[in-house]
Amino acid sequence: MSAKIVIDPVTRIEGHMKIELEVEGNSVKTAKNTATMYRGFENIVQGRDPRDCAPILSAICGVCHTDHHLNSVRAVENASGALQYIDGYVNDKTDLPLNAALNRNIVQAANTLYSHAAHIFVLAGPDFKLYGLLDALSKSLVVNNYADLLKRVIIPAQQFMHQTITLLGGKTPHQRGAIPGGTPVRPDIAVIARTLERFRELRKITDIAAPVIWNFVTSRALVLASLGAGTGNFLSLGMQPDPTTSSGTSKMPYVFSRGVILNSSPQKLGAIEPFDPRNITENVDKSWYDQAGTQSVFDEAPPKPDMSKSGAYTWAKSPLYKGQSCEVGPLSRVLAAGIYQKLGEVIHGIVPEVPGLPLNPMGSVFDRTVARALELVALTGSDNTTKNLEVLGTPLNLSLVDVLTALGLKTEKYNGLAEKWILSLDPGAPAYAKINVPSDGEGVGLWEAPRGSLFHWIRIKGAKTDNYQVVAPTTWNVHPDGPLEKALVGTPIDKDAKDPALGNMYLRKVAWVVRSFDLCLACTVHAIDANGSEAVLEFP
Amino acid sequence: MGKHVVVIGVGNILLRDDGIGVHVVRALEDEVATSDGEWVSVYECGTLGLQILDYLDGSDCAVIVDAVRSGKSPGVVSRFLIDQSKLEDTEELQSMHQVGVLATLSLGRGMVRLPDRIVVVGVEPKDVSLGLDLSDEVKGSVQAAVRMVLDEIGFAQ
């Protein structure tokens, strides 16, 4: 006998989603997730000046606004030749000044940290009873209850990062500072100092919170690693290109490299291979669009909505790489960069029972959560030298500073990646170089938003936007037969299960799996009819 | 320098009467003049949520105009003085969106300098379904709410 559980809407994610679970015995047998909103932004930009696409497309999302904006600018720069993907898409070459490249890295770091803080504390935090933060912090800070935690930790963390984007991009949300060619405002000493101060304030918070979260998650490593195995395919379009090597902006290697991992097994992670955008296709067989089959993301005719299509159940299309469903997000980034595996080697050297990282080569709640926290600390840096990190309750005799130093993310010159870019800014020097947007051409934007790979593509004809394509991160994770559906299958559901620290466990494991992907379905247009039920707008 | 008074209209104008606060501050634009010894700032804050704290920070008196359900007839305009000592600590946030006015004020204590006097001018809504226009009852109360805000501003100075 199977039973059906429908969760609609799924709360504490960004955007709107429904999940249908077929439960047999004490676990999930099949899962279907539905993106309940339609996105039509590509239709809006057609016929407009290519430079207008960024401010329009940034409205796709209220969290990754800055990433949509920057990546649209990058697509236009790529069309103009100012941005080139070189060495088989491994490195970037840009004609923009050093300050422009650095500005974008800092803004990307700030928005990633903003988003990760929101997810770790507000969205996923309650599923873990906030990792025991309240108990831990009450001993060291003026934090006595959840309201204090919000006021002194959670909201300031987000506030500092929004202020940073405003300092460098003019406003938040939806910064307007980035234009094709860079940004018109030169960074001066005051802006540099204030930006640095914001990250250092954030560091005070993460230095206290990160070890508590790490110790909580690693104390439950075995159960969390057994939950949420995905497709075992991981994609990263590259985060934080480094313009400070001896090659400068003419060859920028990525700190979080661009790359793809395919065909992992539960025992072994697949090999890292170079990325090529021509391998991306989209399938719409199970999506509410009037087309069928698989086509290239380049020059795809925009599909029309069709909710009457038989067998379809979602607005999400299925983006595929070499025909395969890939997971995107922090875990994919730290895996493609090899940083996570390196952390695993460090831990294995101290606690031999830990075989290495990832704990689950197919992906898991544990690995996704730790990867996100790792990015948080890698970007922010740390001053915490207390050797308080544990794994499975065993002391590692390592501090946050030790971990960052071992990973090469803290050196004598800089502390965390954001600081590296800020200290490399050249005060008073230009952050903009004039580039010519071509009347005819095409360009690709490859970028990583906090939640994963963001792909933009533009075709320009007669100086106007002729066609546009956005493939957003969560589409990779929630499409039909994709990573999330796969991750849910087999998740234990036990009505009577209790946990001494967490209480009722009935659907908690499902919640852990779903939220481990840090979903964001906002990349759409939403329609509600007057009776409060879902409706579809008529598109001519 | 006189006292700094901040008037804030909140609500979602896409949900008919829920947007009354915004409609009232738009009507106020024509009424509020600035001269020596007066300093009144009027903000249309819509659904900003937590971010209204930025506008309240450091002011001496605040008037928040919003739709308020108190069981009276649609369109009735009421005035409430917020007793900040009785604001309860916020429970767990389920989202950073749609944080209500009281939860926002509660969070604001200890984060920003809230004005000593915070008054809510509330209008009883009739219809908060999807739509841009106000119900007739609530539309008929816009001027009464404007008068009440002006009274309150006078009181503050």
Side-chain angles (χ1 to χ4, degrees):
Chain A
M1 256 310 272
S2 67
K4 195 168 157 189
I5 295 176
V6 179
I7 306 172
D8 181 19
V10 177
T11 55
R12 281 191 275 117
I13 58 169
E14 302 290 350
H16 304 248
M17 189 176 71
K18 173 170 84 171
I19 286 181
E20 284 182 54
L21 306 172
E22 189 193 347
V23 181
E24 205 167 79
N26 278 336
S27 69
V28 175
K29 190 182 170 205
T30 64
K32 258 164 85 172
N33 49 242
T34 300
T36 55
M37 303 189 297
Y38 168 75
R39 185 192 75 207
F41 274 77
E42 288 97 329
N43 305 341
I44 299 174
V45 294
Q46 283 182 11
R48 293 178 185 268
D49 188 309
R51 289 166 296 192
D52 289 349
C53 293
I56 292 170
L57 294 170
S58 92
I60 284 179
C61 183
V63 181
C64 303
H65 40 80
T66 212
D67 300 289
H68 279 290
H69 185 107
L70 281 170
N71 205 28
S72 182
V73 166
R74 281 167 62 85
V76 174
E77 287 171 352
N78 183 233
S80 79
L83 167 66
Q84 291 172 33
Y85 302 105
I86 57 170
D87 309 324
Y89 290 95
V90 171
N91 302 310
D92 284 9
K93 173 183 185 300
T94 181
D95 297 342
L96 273 55
L98 173 73
N99 275 350
L102 292 169
N103 174 306
R104 290 180 187 179
N105 278 1
I106 300 164
V107 167
Q108 184 184 41
N111 202 53
T112 303
L113 291 168
Y114 168 85
S115 179
H116 284 5
H119 182 263
I120 290 170
F121 292 122
V122 181
L123 304 178
D127 294 338
F128 297 100
K129 287 263 153 83
L130 279 160
Y131 324 94
L133 267 172
L134 271 180
D135 277 349
L137 294 193
S138 62
K139 290 166 202 150
S140 57
L141 265 181
V142 200
V143 172
N144 293 311
N145 55 29
Y146 182 73
D148 289 343
L149 191 67
L150 273 175
K151 288 179 198 183
R152 315 218 192 287
V153 175
I154 300 174
I155 293 174
Q158 301 197 299
Q159 194 177 16
F160 293 138
M161 293 303 94
H162 262 185
Q163 288 170 342
T164 297
I165 302 171
T166 304
L167 280 165
L168 299 172
K171 73 188 273 278
T172 330
H174 307 291
Q175 66 126 327
R176 292 292 181 256
I179 52 175
T183 179
V185 182
R186 298 173 183 212
D188 62 17
I189 289 286
V191 164
I192 293 170
R194 288 162 76 193
T195 305
L196 198 57
E197 185 210 331
R198 296 306 189 282
F199 280 99
R200 288 184 175 165
E201 288 296 320
L202 176 69
R203 194 183 296 157
K204 288 180 192 162
I205 292 170
T206 53
D207 268 352
I208 294 167
V212 178
I213 296 169
W214 167 271
N215 290 343
F216 181 95
V217 173
T218 58
S219 74
R220 292 165 181 267
L222 297 179
V223 61
L224 295 176
S226 73
L227 293 168
T231 55
N233 303 321
F234 304 92
L235 170 75
S236 168
L237 297 187
M239 188 165 84
Q240 306 270 288
D242 186 352
T244 67
T245 70
S246 57
S247 309
T249 51
S250 65
K251 178 177 177 173
M252 301 191 285
Y254 278 79
V255 180
F256 296 85
S257 349
R258 189 175 284 143
V260 189
I261 297 170
L262 298 175
N263 303 317
S264 304
S265 72
Q267 288 75 39
K268 194 169 184 302
L269 191 69
I272 302 171
E273 57 178 86
F275 166 83
D276 187 331
R278 287 164 293 194
N279 291 323
I280 304 178
T281 54
E282 284 193 311
N283 179 290
V284 290
D285 285 346
K286 294 183 180 177
S287 315
W288 285 317
Y289 300 100
D290 63 351
Q291 299 160 335
T294 301
Q295 50 179 325
S296 162
V297 282
F298 299 102
D299 264 332
E300 181 182 306
K304 293 203 169 61
D306 178 11
M307 267 185 107
S308 66
K309 183 163 146 187
S310 144
Y313 61 90
T314 180
W315 289 113
K317 298 189 213 167
S318 300
L320 304 168
Y321 188 86
K322 289 190 175 173
Q324 303 213 54
S325 287
C326 297
E327 170 174 348
V328 300
L331 177 59
S332 298
R333 284 195 289 262
V334 294
L335 283 175
I339 295 174
Y340 194 47
Q341 296 89 319
K342 201 169 164 188
L343 176 64
E345 286 164 23
V346 172
I347 293 171
H348 176 69
I350 300 167
V351 185
E353 296 94 291
V354 180
L357 295 174
L359 282 186
N360 189 337
M362 302 299 282
S364 71
V365 173
F366 174 85
D367 293 299
R368 290 181 197 109
T369 307
V370 169
R372 196 171 290 113
L374 174 61
E375 280 193 351
L376 188 82
V377 180
L379 293 167
T380 313
S382 173
D383 295 316
N384 189 342
T385 53
T386 312
K387 297 186 185 296
N388 57 0
L389 300 180
E390 301 169 359
V391 164
L392 298 169
T394 308
L396 282 172
N397 198 30
L398 288 179
S399 66
L400 280 182
V401 165
D402 294 335
V403 169
L404 285 185
T405 308
L407 296 175
L409 296 163
K410 181 179 163 87
T411 68
E412 280 183 8
K413 282 189 177 162
Y414 68 91
N415 187 355
L417 292 167
E419 187 168 304
K420 179 177 185 174
W421 314 133
I422 297 167
L423 294 175
S424 302
L425 283 166
D426 187 0
Y432 172 76
K434 183 159 175 52
I435 63 165
N436 293 313
V437 179
S439 328
D440 294 283
E442 63 177 312
V444 173
L446 305 176
W447 191 250
E448 285 284 316
R451 294 178 175 79
S453 304
L454 181 59
F455 172 93
H456 278 225
W457 171 83
I458 186 170
R459 155 124 18 239
I460 305 168
K461 263 188 195 162
K464 304 269 196 224
T465 306
D466 180 61
N467 200 353
Y468 207 103
Q469 176 77 255
V470 175
V471 184
T474 295
T475 322
W476 287 96
N477 288 334
V478 305
H479 66 80
D481 308 319
L484 175 60
E485 290 189 358
K486 216 154 205 159
L488 280 164
V489 172
T491 305
I493 290 185
D494 183 350
K495 275 203 160 110
D496 305 317
K498 295 264 189 295
D499 178 285
L502 301 169
N504 187 337
M505 294 295 289
Y506 173 31
L507 284 174
R508 193 177 294 271
K509 288 178 178 171
V510 168
W512 282 345
V513 172
V514 172
R515 297 206 179 95
S516 70
F517 285 94
D518 190 10
L519 304 170
C520 180
L521 293 107
C523 305
T524 46
V525 178
H526 194 197
I528 306 171
D529 78 6
N531 300 317
S533 56
E534 296 289 336
V536 189
L537 288 176
E538 293 293 331
F539 292 90
Chain B
M1 184 95 89
K3 289 189 171 185
H4 182 195
V5 184
V6 172
V7 181
I8 284 174
V10 295
N12 187 344
I13 56 165
L14 304 179
L15 297 175
R16 301 201 69 192
D17 293 346
D18 188 69
I20 178 65
V22 174
H23 290 276
V24 170
V25 295
R26 285 178 182 174
L28 259 175
E29 276 185 331
D30 304 329
E31 307 277 349
V32 181
T34 305
S35 60
D36 284 347
E38 296 173 335
W39 187 13
V40 179
S41 306
V42 181
Y43 297 112
E44 178 186 319
C45 285
T47 56
L48 278 186
L50 276 181
Q51 292 171 66
I52 70 169
L53 292 175
D54 284 343
Y55 299 94
L56 297 176
D57 192 9
S59 65
D60 299 300
C61 169
V63 184
I64 298 172
V65 192
D66 196 2
V68 173
R69 277 199 200 281
S70 59
K72 299 191 174 114
S73 313
V76 170
V77 185
S78 318
R79 174 160 37 183
F80 310 88
L81 181 66
I82 300 281
D83 182 344
Q84 293 178 45
S85 69
K86 289 192 179 152
L87 287 172
E88 287 176 11
D89 274 335
T90 319
E91 294 300 315
E92 279 187 10
L93 286 188
Q94 295 296 314
S95 162
M96 295 308 278
H97 302 301
Q98 298 178 349
V99 182
V101 170
L102 291 179
T104 299
L105 293 176
S106 161
L107 274 171
R109 285 185 306 171
M111 281 185 74
V112 300
R113 201 163 70 74
L114 287 179
D116 291 336
R117 184 178 172 85
I118 303 176
V119 171
V120 173
V121 169
V123 181
E124 193 77 22
K126 180 186 182 191
D127 181 359
V128 291
S129 63
L130 202 68
L132 288 170
D133 55 330
L134 296 170
S135 67
D136 288 342
E137 289 89 336
V138 170
K139 200 177 198 168
S141 301
V142 170
Q143 282 311 316
V146 167
R147 294 264 88 74
M148 195 174 280
V149 173
L150 291 174
D151 275 359
E152 184 55 38
I153 294 171
F155 180 92
Q157 286 171 353

